[in-house]
Amino acid sequence: IKTFSEAGYNVSYAVLNASDYGVPQKRERIFIVGIRKDLKFFYRFPPKLISAPVPLKKVLLKEVEVLQKYHFSKRAVDGLKRANKAFNKGRTQNIDEPCNTLSAHLAKVSLNGTDPVLSTGKETYRRFTPLEAARIQSFPDSFKFVGNDLNAYRQIGNAIPPVLMWHVFDNLLSQLSEHESESTNITVNLTTLLKIKNTNLHRLHKETGISYQQLWSIANNKTHAISFDLLEKLCDKLNCKPNDIFTTQ
């Protein structure tokens, strides 16, 4: 932190748990964000957004969809039964809670280790499929991992949960926008643009799903921040560029 500060950054850091942001996994990681000191502000991390964590069962496949290769053999189960309980082997997950932390060790998960596994019945267990592991990390089902199962497990286990990273980055964009609007004269051209496009706030509200109050605040320069997603939605609907809506002086 001292090194970053001496390099010219206002440094903020925090340990965030992915389960507090809608990810079905108890995964704590430290995040460090530096803002150039000439901008004269510190980054503020997003508050916890989820009061009731997403349970593991919400992202699991039905057992009939899981191939046999993801199940542990009878020999592995017998080894678990012989293990010293003090070593806490075979960490079967409570599917009504977020999953324990996944790692890049997913491809080599065994009942003889401390990795999260699933119980599928009386003395039967299995590992997560790549799709389930990706969901636990909050990847969409449409995301494609390169290579075989081993490669996919490594990529998934080493990743930062995309949903958590989105909240961190969206918060950064909002704060940068807020800081810029406070230090720059911004002209909002939304009302003029709506006239050119022969539409209005009510119609824009219905077509984009953006609340009328939020659109009115933007059009009347009553907001200090606008998220990237919202700006992208407006530009897509109005077939324009961001600087068609906002101009700076």
Side-chain angles (χ1 to χ4, degrees):
I1 302 300
K2 180 181 178 182
T3 301
F4 283 128
S5 180
E6 292 174 347
Y9 293 90
N10 290 327
V11 182
S12 304
Y13 59 93
V15 174
L16 303 181
N17 191 326
S19 66
D20 292 327
Y21 299 89
V23 179
Q25 179 186 186
K26 292 175 279 190
R27 187 184 189 92
E28 290 188 333
R29 292 294 184 268
I30 187 167
F31 289 79
I32 302 172
V33 179
I35 303 293
R36 290 201 327 262
K37 289 186 176 180
D38 62 288
L39 296 179
K40 298 180 181 179
F41 78 96
F42 283 81
Y43 175 75
R44 305 181 303 279
F45 285 93
K48 296 180 180 180
L49 301 178
I50 304 297
S51 56
V54 178
L56 173 59
K57 64 184 178 184
K58 189 170 183 179
V59 298
L60 295 178
L61 295 170
K62 296 178 181 178
E63 284 305 316
V64 295
E65 300 175 302
V66 179
L67 299 178
Q68 185 59 38
K69 68 177 182 177
Y70 297 111
H71 290 260
F72 293 107
S73 66
K74 183 178 183 302
R75 180 179 177 183
V77 175
D78 289 341
L80 173 66
K81 290 192 290 186
R82 292 192 300 269
N84 188 328
K85 299 300 181 184
F87 293 120
N88 195 22
K89 303 295 185 180
R91 292 188 178 175
T92 305
Q93 298 301 289
N94 181 348
I95 64 173
D96 291 318
E97 298 178 355
C99 183
N100 283 358
T101 302
L102 300 184
S103 71
H105 191 250
L106 278 168
K108 299 179 180 179
V109 164
S110 73
L111 285 175
N112 214 22
T114 57
D115 304 287
V117 296
L118 288 171
S119 171
T120 57
K122 186 178 180 181
E123 297 186 351
T124 57
Y125 304 87
R126 70 172 178 86
R127 62 173 55 85
F128 295 113
T129 68
L131 176 58
E132 289 174 322
R135 289 176 175 180
I136 291 169
Q137 277 279 61
S138 75
F139 283 96
D141 287 359
S142 59
F143 193 91
K144 303 298 182 184
F145 295 93
V146 178
N148 56 23
D149 278 6
L150 176 62
N151 302 130
Y153 279 133
R154 285 176 178 165
Q155 294 169 64
I156 294 166
N158 283 324
I160 297 173
V163 168
L164 171 57
M165 195 65 233
W166 182 88
H167 285 296
V168 172
F169 191 67
D170 186 59
N171 216 42
L172 174 61
L173 289 177
S174 294
Q175 290 172 40
L176 286 171
S177 177
E178 179 180 355
H179 173 76
E180 183 178 354
S181 66
E182 290 175 348
S183 57
T184 307
N185 292 323
I186 297 178
T187 301
V188 181
N189 306 313
L190 183 57
T191 301
T192 302
L193 188 60
L194 290 175
K195 290 180 180 179
I196 295 173
K197 300 291 183 178
N198 194 30
T199 187
N200 55 54
L201 291 180
H202 287 286
R203 189 178 301 168
L204 192 60
H205 156 61
K206 291 181 179 179
E207 293 176 344
T208 64
I210 302 170
S211 73
Y212 179 84
Q213 183 178 5
Q214 192 169 18
L215 290 171
W216 183 91
S217 295
I218 294 170
N220 290 277
N221 205 20
K222 299 294 184 180
T223 182
H224 293 295
I226 179 173
S227 70
F228 176 79
D229 278 357
L230 192 150
L231 184 58
E232 186 177 41
K233 189 179 292 186
L234 286 175
C235 290
D236 181 62
K237 190 61 191 175
L238 295 172
N239 191 26
C240 67
K241 298 177 180 178
N243 58 8
D244 292 328
I245 299 175
F246 298 101
T247 55
T248 61
Q249 298 176 353

